[in-house]
Structure formats: structure tokens, C-alpha cells
């Protein structure tokens, strides 16, 4: 018998992956959580029926959330990751030796628990001494920590279910206040083929709050359309003004100093969404 | 009843699209040809079970085959497209007013016939007076036309079936000889997630023949992994030496002058395939 997992990315289009084994299928307090082992992409975390991460392609998302912002800020010491319970963004953040403390605020403790158990390649740095893991509502944490962080990364699910408030203008205002005077934030903002409206809305909201707003993109095969966008809001530092020759080479598989600015050069139809 | 078309892009991974209607399903002299109407991507041409083009995302592939090479060559007048019977690349080539003649050599006349009938948005320029359409083997045409073209574009299917010879070193040598002294060629070279070996092989072969070899990428949602690569071989002109400020803005949806060089900046794991 062959078992295939199919995700409908839209009402009429999807991806399908042959699976070896189902490791977890559970309704947590917040969402449906499935952990499956696929032949093509290895182990895969699925929340509310949407692929969150896989062993084979996770590096793209996690590197591209973390490094553009951390190499735009000249001296990031205190970093907050909202969501991201699989620990992949945290792993990338810790590659920056100047980061003294990385705080992870994940609303669903089960995501952390099962990621540690089944995705150790991704979650392996959550026990690092520079990391503080908090199981709580990111919205509340932001509200309670004014002028605290150099960089804030929003590694959320889609704007349905528990992550819906993380795409509201009020959340971006809270992030602005939780950042220090030269702070930077970045959020995953879905894909331009099926969710153009979302990219436009976030862009408008962030522009109203932050002096500098930039959008960049990366290729993630298991995410809808294969192209994912990230929106950056910055109080002072512009990612496009960074001197790429001064960026050190990290151990990465996607991000490079050469890609730092190139990732912000968008296809015409995506560029048009940010105007 | 719901009908879904599923393409296995690898043995264990694929895409699936809800269809409204099957318009053509036929075994031509060269390949299996299906034309279907999908809800998400509109009409879709499928050859030997692989998506070739769709109404919704065709612009990416066609623009990105045509414009990087045509804006690297300072004065392209004679252009050859090998394959590409749907006419999409020809449509983009004709956006360059300096092109006097664009020759299409497609081995399978049925692709041309059904594209004209069912994909007029794509094939609509095949009757243009600047275009010559030849139904023949591209390999033979190349062999018979030495020192003839400024730019040659290889818009082939995957390296199985009728297109297999188009990925051989001997074909690239033939292209070199069919190009004028400052000619440029470009070929689609599949995706880096599932076909890394192919990209490496083509890169090695082209490097042995052309003084300048460059690889660039674009996001195509209906192609495997969502990221597609293109390999360019050039006798004299380097796409990375082009002055982007001198590139005129065409009517495009993907390519822009700003993207001209950025498209060549590859993720680390893809960059490594080209070394």
C-alpha cells in the first residue's frame, strides 16, 4: 500500500508526497499537528494541514528569516523569535557570535516538544545557554517588553488560526515599540501567486509604522508556489545600504553575502505589490 | 465528480491540479501531448506527463529565456529558438525591435498546432512576419547553419524522449558553430533540488566550449521545486557586465532591468553546482 500526503495549497492546486510513516497526529490546544516522514523531503511538520518545515528544504526558510536582518543590524545582541517552535530560526540566529540572548516565544508547547523529538537537526539548539524558550502568546510578550530587542523575527503559520493576530497592524505597532531605537523586524509574508493581497496589506501596514520597509524572496519547494516573501521593517538601518563585502561567510546552504541585496530584487509582478 | 491531474515530479513527490476540462489527449509522432484546462493555472500544455506551460505562469519562463540573453547581446538581429513550439519565447523575442528575424525550429508540429488553437495568448505571434517557423529536428538545423545566429535559445522538454540529444555536449558544440563570433546561447537546465547532476553536467560541458558560462534562476510555480535554472554560454559578451541603467523597460511581468544581474546571484547550494 502506498500512502500519499496531499496539501491543497489552494482550493484547486496542491502538492502530494509519498510517506514512509506517520509519527504524530494530534489536536493540540491550538492546532492540528502532524509529523510525517516523506520519501522526498524527509520528516515534515504539518500544522493545520499546511507544511511548516521539512528536513530537506528547511534551511532556506530558516536562513532567510535570520540572516538578512542580522546582517543589516550592525550589532544585534538581543533577538526575539515569535513562533518558530521548531527551533530552526534560533539555530541560525546562534551562528551570529554577537548575539547574547535569543528569546523564543512559541504559543504551542507541543510544537517544541515534537520538534525536539523528531526534528533534532532543526531543534537541536533550543537547549543552548544563549536561548530562552517561553511558551506563551507572542502578542502578549511583545506588549510587555518595550524597547528591548535589536531584532524581532516573526516565524508564524499562515494568517488563519492562532497566528491570525500576528498579521494585524496592531501587532506591527507593538513590535515597533518592543524594538530598540535602531531595531529591525522581519516576518514571513506568504507567496505572491496565491496571496498577493496579504503581501500588499502587510506592506501598507508596515510602511505606516517603520521608516524603512523592504520585501525579499526565497525559493522553498514545499511552500505554495515555491516562492516565499519576507517583509522587513526597520527604524534606521537599510538592508540595501549594507556593504556586502563586509559580511562574513557563515556556514549556510542558501544565504550568501552575494545574495544579501539580490534577494530584495523582485520579479515585476511582486515588485508591483510593494508600491 | 472532481477530476485532478497529478504530475509526479519525482518518484515520491508531485503537484496536483483540479481540472475543468480535457481538451486534447494524443500520442504524436514524438510524445504524449495533453492539453487541459485547470482551475488554478488555466489552460496547461503537458508533454510526456510533464507540465510545459500554463496560462497563469507562462510569462516567467518565456521572459526569462528571452530577455537576459537579448539584453546581453548589444545588437541581436537573428535569433533561433530550438523547441518552444508553444510560441511563448518567440512572443518575447519580438518585443525587441532590433530583431529582424526569429526562427523557430520545433520537432513536433502538433505542439504548434494545438498551441495556436488552445493557447492563443502564448502562440499568437507565430504568424508574425518577422518569424519563420520550421518543423524539423533542431539538432539538424543547427548543423546546417554555421555562423548564422546572434542568439540561440533552447526551449526544450526534459532530457528524456525527443529532447535528450539537446543536452549532449555535441549539441552545444554545434550551437557554438551556428553562432556568429559574438553570439550567445541559453538553455533551460531544470531545477537544482531534484536534478542537480544535470545542472552540473551542462555547466561543465558549456564551460569547455564557451569562454563565458553563467547560470541564472527564476521562480516557476508549476515546474518541479518552483525554481528553474537557465544556463548561458557566450563567446564575448558577459551578462554580468551589462549596464543595467541602459536596459529599456519592456512590457513584462517578471523580468526587469533591475533583475538582470540579480537573477544570476544563486543560492549557495546552487552556486556550488556551477563551480
Amino acid at each position: 500500500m502506498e500512502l500519499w500526503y496531499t496539501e491543497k495549497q489552494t482550493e484547486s492546486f496542491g502538492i502530494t508526497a509519498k510517506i514512509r510513516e506517520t509519527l504524530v497526529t494530534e489536536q493540540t490546544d491550538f492546532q492540528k499537528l502532524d509529523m510525517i516522514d516523506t520519501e522526498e523531503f524527509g520528516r515534515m511538520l504539518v500544522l493545520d494541514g499546511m507544511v511548516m518545515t521539512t528536513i530537506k528544504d528547511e534551511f532556506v526558510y530558516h536562513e532567510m528569516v535570520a540572516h538578512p536582518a542580522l546582517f543589516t543590524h550592525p550589532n544585534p545582541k538581543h533577538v526575539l523569535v515569535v513562533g518558530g517552535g521548531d527551533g530552526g530560526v534560533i539555530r541560525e540566529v546562534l551562528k551570529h557570535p554577537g548575539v547574547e540572548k535569543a528569546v523564543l516565544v512559541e504559543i504551542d508547547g507541543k510544537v517544541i516538544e515534537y520538534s525536539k523529538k523528531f526534528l533534532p537537526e532543526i531543534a537541536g539548539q533550543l537547549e543552548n545557554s544563549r536561548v530562552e524558550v517561553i511558551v506563551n502568546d507572542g502578542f502578549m510578550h511583545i506588549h510587555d517588553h518595550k524597547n528591548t530587542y535589536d531584532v524581532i523575527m516573526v516565524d508564524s503559520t499562515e494568517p488563519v488560526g492562532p497566528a491570525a493576530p500576528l498579521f494585524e497592524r496592531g501587532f506591527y505597532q507593538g513590535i515597533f515599540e518592543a524594538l530598540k531605537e535602531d531595531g529591525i523586524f522581519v516576518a514571513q509574508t506568504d507567496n505572491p501567486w496565491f496571496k498577493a493581497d496579504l503581501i500588499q496589506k502587510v506592506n501598507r501596514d508596515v510602511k505606516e509604522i517603520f521608516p524603512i520597509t523592504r520585501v525579499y524572496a526565497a525559493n522553498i519547494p514545499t511552500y505554495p508556489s515555491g516562492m516565499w516573501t519576507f517583509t522587513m521593517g526597520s527604524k534606521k538601518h537599510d538592508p540595501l545600504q549594507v556593504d556586502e563585502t563586509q559580511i562574513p561567510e557563515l556556514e549556510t546552504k542558501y544565504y550568501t553575502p552575494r545574495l544579501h541585496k539580490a534577494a530584495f530584487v523582485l520579479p515585476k509582478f511582486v515588485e508591483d505589490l510593494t508600491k
Side-chain angles (χ1 to χ4, degrees), chain A:
Chain A
M1 182 181 74
E2 285 193 2
L3 289 179
W4 288 71
Y5 162 70
T6 300
E7 175 185 335
K8 279 195 189 179
Q9 298 176 327
T10 73
E11 285 298 305
S12 57
F13 189 77
I15 55 170
T16 188
K18 189 174 174 187
I19 70 172
R20 295 193 191 100
E21 190 182 359
T22 299
L23 300 159
V24 180
T25 181
E26 178 173 329
Q27 181 68 42
T28 76
D29 289 345
F30 299 94
Q31 53 205 341
K32 182 75 164 35
L33 186 159
D34 294 288
M35 186 78 73
I36 57 181
D37 189 12
T38 71
E39 287 204 359
E40 188 63 53
F41 286 93
R43 288 182 176 181
M44 178 183 274
L45 171 65
V46 180
L47 296 178
D48 282 341
M50 293 174 283
V51 177
M52 287 298 114
T53 198
T54 82
I55 291 297
K56 184 170 175 175
D57 73 351
E58 57 91 5
F59 65 91
V60 183
Y61 180 83
H62 295 134
E63 291 181 14
M64 293 303 284
V65 169
H67 302 309
L70 290 173
F71 281 129
T72 297
H73 194 291
N75 188 23
K77 290 180 179 170
H78 297 98
V79 176
L80 171 66
V81 178
V82 177
D86 57 55
V89 171
I90 286 288
R91 182 195 62 202
E92 297 302 316
V93 169
L94 294 183
K95 290 180 180 174
H96 295 253
V99 172
E100 295 170 1
K101 192 173 180 184
V103 178
L104 179 87
V105 181
E106 162 67 54
I107 201 168
D108 191 342
K110 289 287 184 184
V111 173
I112 299 170
E113 178 188 332
Y114 287 123
S115 296
K116 282 184 176 175
K117 185 170 178 183
F118 293 110
L119 307 171
E121 305 92 327
I122 302 174
Q125 293 299 316
L126 287 174
E127 309 280 354
N128 189 293
S129 62
R130 288 191 283 156
V131 177
E132 179 183 0
V133 175
I134 300 170
V135 177
N136 202 349
D137 183 340
F139 204 103
M140 294 308 297
H141 182 90
I142 292 279
H143 184 265
D144 294 341
H145 291 78
K146 308 289 187 201
N147 193 31
T148 302
Y149 293 105
D150 298 306
V151 176
I152 296 177
M153 300 167 181
V154 183
D155 176 5
S156 69
T157 52
E158 303 308 280
V160 290
L166 306 186
F167 289 85
E168 295 299 324
R169 192 181 177 291
F171 181 60
Y172 303 131
Q173 183 62 42
I175 283 176
F176 186 89
E177 292 165 17
L179 285 168
K180 291 181 181 165
E181 65 175 0
D182 67 343
I184 301 173
F185 108 98
V186 62
Q188 72 84 4
T189 44
D190 219 303
N191 81 87
W193 291 92
F194 308 138
K195 294 287 185 66
D197 290 353
L198 178 75
I199 294 171
Q200 281 189 300
K201 179 197 173 302
V202 172
N203 199 258
R204 278 195 303 265
D205 287 350
V206 174
K207 270 183 179 160
E208 284 180 14
I209 298 167
F210 285 84
I212 298 165
T213 303
R214 304 286 186 206
V215 176
Y216 61 98
N219 158 243
I220 305 175
T222 55
Y223 283 10
S225 90
M227 177 186 233
W228 215 246
T229 70
F230 304 85
T231 301
M232 187 186 286
S234 179
K235 292 188 178 185
K236 182 177 171 189
H237 307 292
D238 186 344
L240 301 184
Q241 297 302 319
V242 168
D243 179 355
E244 290 184 335
T245 64
Q246 297 303 306
I247 300 177
E249 293 270 354
L250 294 182
E251 280 286 325
T252 56
K253 289 189 274 186
Y254 195 96
Y255 178 90
T256 68
R258 297 165 291 290
L259 200 69
H260 182 90
K261 288 178 191 167
F264 290 86
V265 183
L266 302 170
K268 179 79 163 56
F269 79 107
V270 188
E271 194 179 70
D272 288 346
L273 300 175
T274 68
K275 282 176 179 167

